[in-house]
mmCIF file of all heavy atoms in Angstrom:
data_model
loop_
_atom_site.group_PDB
_atom_site.id
_atom_site.type_symbol
_atom_site.label_atom_id
_atom_site.label_comp_id
_atom_site.label_asym_id
_atom_site.label_seq_id
_atom_site.Cartn_x
_atom_site.Cartn_y
_atom_site.Cartn_z
ATOM 1 N N CYS A 172 -53.302 102.990 -98.298
ATOM 2 C CA CYS A 172 -53.753 104.183 -97.575
ATOM 3 C C CYS A 172 -54.922 103.783 -96.651
ATOM 4 O O CYS A 172 -55.918 103.237 -97.126
ATOM 5 C CB CYS A 172 -54.184 105.264 -98.541
ATOM 6 S SG CYS A 172 -54.874 106.710 -97.733
ATOM 7 N N CYS A 175 -58.257 105.961 -97.758
ATOM 8 C CA CYS A 175 -59.032 105.770 -99.000
ATOM 9 C C CYS A 175 -58.763 104.445 -99.719
ATOM 10 O O CYS A 175 -59.444 104.113 -100.680
ATOM 11 C CB CYS A 175 -58.774 106.918 -99.960
ATOM 12 S SG CYS A 175 -57.171 106.861 -100.752
ATOM 13 N N CYS A 238 -51.821 107.746 -98.846
ATOM 14 C CA CYS A 238 -51.483 108.182 -100.207
ATOM 15 C C CYS A 238 -51.189 109.678 -100.169
ATOM 16 O O CYS A 238 -51.415 110.350 -99.171
ATOM 17 C CB CYS A 238 -52.630 107.877 -101.169
ATOM 18 S SG CYS A 238 -54.034 108.995 -100.983
ATOM 19 N N CYS A 241 -54.199 111.937 -99.167
ATOM 20 C CA CYS A 241 -54.670 111.871 -97.763
ATOM 21 C C CYS A 241 -53.556 112.201 -96.767
ATOM 22 O O CYS A 241 -53.824 112.300 -95.564
ATOM 23 C CB CYS A 241 -55.222 110.471 -97.488
ATOM 24 S SG CYS A 241 -56.573 109.991 -98.579
HETATM 25 ZN ZN1 LIG B 301 -55.636 108.037 -99.496
#
Side-chain angles (χ1 to χ4, degrees):
C172 176
C175 75
C238 74
C241 302

